[in-house]
Amino acid sequence: GGKNRNSKGNVSNSNQILAPMPGKVTAIKKAFGDVKIGDVVIMMEAMKMENSLKANLDGKIKKISIKEGDQVTQGQLLAEIE
């Protein structure tokens, strides 16, 4: 596997769910327990559009860093999977 040379690049760590854009968290679908690739973990609204943020690996929810109704900034860490 290739290492990501630039840690500030667009490639997020696969175990982290980051906000793709500024917006508001509308729902936390999975706050704990097991997740599979493609499971929707967090719903957010940005520019009047609903966005589903999905797990990109199989694992367990380690931490949810935000709560419903929070305003988040682009790139903000929302959840971690282990």
Side-chain angles (χ1 to χ4, degrees):
K3 278 215 163 76
N4 182 8
R5 286 173 320 198
N6 176 3
S7 63
K8 292 222 182 328
N10 284 336
V11 181
S12 67
N13 286 339
S14 60
N15 70 322
Q16 297 182 332
I17 296 178
L18 306 177
M21 62 197 78
K24 181 180 172 189
V25 175
T26 54
I28 296 168
K29 298 289 191 187
K30 286 278 216 178
F32 52 84
D34 295 337
V35 289
K36 294 232 177 304
I37 291 177
D39 282 359
V40 175
V41 179
I42 292 166
M43 297 290 295
M44 64 179 282
E45 185 183 287
M47 300 186 284
K48 304 284 179 242
M49 303 244 324
E50 281 271 292
N51 293 281
S52 314
L53 307 186
K54 301 181 172 92
N56 39 12
L57 74 164
D58 292 345
K60 269 193 165 57
I61 299 284
K62 178 179 171 189
K63 183 175 179 215
I64 299 280
S65 307
I66 42 76
K67 58 189 187 299
E68 290 184 13
D70 279 4
Q71 292 288 336
V72 297
T73 56
Q74 182 170 355
Q76 183 173 334
L77 176 63
L78 306 182
E80 289 179 82
I81 296 167
E82 61 181 2

